[in-house]
Amino acid sequence: MKTKKRFDFPEQIRLENTNKCNAHCVICPREKQTRAQGFMDESLLERILEECRGERITKFTVQGYGEPLLDKNFCRFVRRAKDTLDCPTFSVSNGSLITPGLAREMVSSGLDKVKISFYGVNKEEYEKIHTPLSFDKTRQCILNLIEAKKEAGSSMKIRLQYIGSIWRFLPFCLQWAGKTMVGFNTLHNYGHGRRYNRRENRGRCPMLDDPILQVLWNGDIVPCCYDFNGEMVLGNLYKNSIREIWRGEPYEKMRKANDRGDFSDYPICLMCDRRR
């Protein structure tokens, strides 16, 4: 395979502020997560922002393998990233915790876009997937955010993400027409977490081709968001800098494997259905 351009420094930062979650959605392999759960310390965020200051950062995401709004520091983290780096900010949430007060905080935090996973057009369909969340409560939480955005005259983008049958996506669109943006996506395997799609075991890894740094709440660096259990650790920010890890031997070994199309040393990658 052809060697791709090597970036001197990551241009996208994906920061897992927590890997805890208030849901056990059937599409998500949370029952296979055995790593410690916790919240990122604010001092680590500040170290990351200081290292990124002056670099070309095109996107800063506050979310990982968990529900980011469980973290009381979420809005402060977003604001610090926005003020320090002045780049687009993004998050993904199940939306179930958005009270009117939190909605107003989110709108004023500097968050540019939030994607809300809301897989259902009715109570039965939604609650079958998003155990043990409530369809009615979460729907109201989403409306809280839409209303807060409207009241503030904010340009923040709210996108509801639907996964399921394409035929069910049409009534989903009709339900939210005129309220907010909607999007459709397909199921994925989460590396080795699920078996929804056949694995071709060929092609390049888009996560390694793109200049993305995935930081877990404890400072571990992993190659991508599909390594939900933090098994392929490439370094830790409590021990080394972003630049040292980004240019380090473990990362370069993975990039060379990507160039060769040979992921035999990385079983999770062999199981992944996102290689193209």
Side-chain angles (χ1 to χ4, degrees), residues 75-123:
C75 290
R76 185 156 67 248
F77 276 26
V78 172
R79 172 50 63 191
R80 289 292 298 128
K82 191 69 175 179
D83 290 347
T84 304
L85 304 178
D86 191 27
C87 68
T89 54
F90 175 67
S91 190
V92 181
S93 170
N94 61 40
S96 65
L97 300 172
I98 307 175
T99 62
L102 180 55
R104 290 189 291 272
E105 287 185 50
M106 291 173 66
V107 168
S108 63
S109 69
L111 185 62
D112 290 298
K113 182 176 180 180
V114 59
K115 183 169 68 177
I116 298 178
S117 303
F118 193 76
Y119 310 148
V121 298
N122 56 44
K123 182 179 178 68

Side-chain angles (χ1 to χ4, degrees), residues 136-200:
D136 293 328
K137 179 181 176 182
T138 303
R139 187 177 185 279
Q140 182 57 54
C141 287
I142 295 169
L143 293 175
N144 289 340
L145 187 59
I146 293 172
E147 181 62 25
K149 172 189 171 178
K150 181 179 178 181
E151 288 181 354
S154 169
S155 60
M156 181 180 72
K157 295 180 180 178
I158 304 168
R159 175 175 170 171
L160 299 193
Q161 191 78 0
Y162 181 83
I163 286 181
S165 166
I166 190 65
W167 306 110
R168 300 294 289 162
F169 184 52
L170 179 57
F172 182 84
C173 291
L174 292 175
Q175 283 184 350
W176 292 99
K179 296 182 179 70
T180 192
M181 297 187 297
V182 296
F184 177 84
N185 207 346
T186 56
L187 292 167
H188 60 78
N189 292 349
Y190 253 112
H192 64 316
R194 290 288 185 261
R195 295 183 180 273
Y196 290 117
N197 302 313
R198 193 177 79 175
R199 300 173 298 279
E200 297 294 344

Side-chain angles (χ1 to χ4, degrees), residues 1-18:
M1 291 189 177
K2 185 181 293 186
T3 300
K4 291 284 187 175
K5 174 186 175 182
R6 299 286 198 258
F7 290 84
D8 183 62
F9 194 86
E11 295 184 358
Q12 293 186 39
I13 307 297
R14 295 183 178 182
L15 182 149
E16 178 187 77
N17 61 324
T18 185

Side-chain angles (χ1 to χ4, degrees), residues 1 201-209 223 232 253-272 275-276:
M1 291 189 177
N201 293 337
R202 65 168 182 261
R204 298 191 65 91
C205 169
M207 297 296 185
L208 289 172
D209 281 341
M232 297 186 290
K253 181 182 176 183
M254 281 207 80
R255 293 184 184 112
K256 289 178 179 178
N258 193 30
D259 290 338
R260 296 191 308 270
D262 176 11
F263 285 88
S264 54
D265 290 336
Y266 306 97
I268 294 176
C269 300
L270 288 175
M271 302 283 283
C272 186
R275 287 167 57 195
R276 57 194 179 200

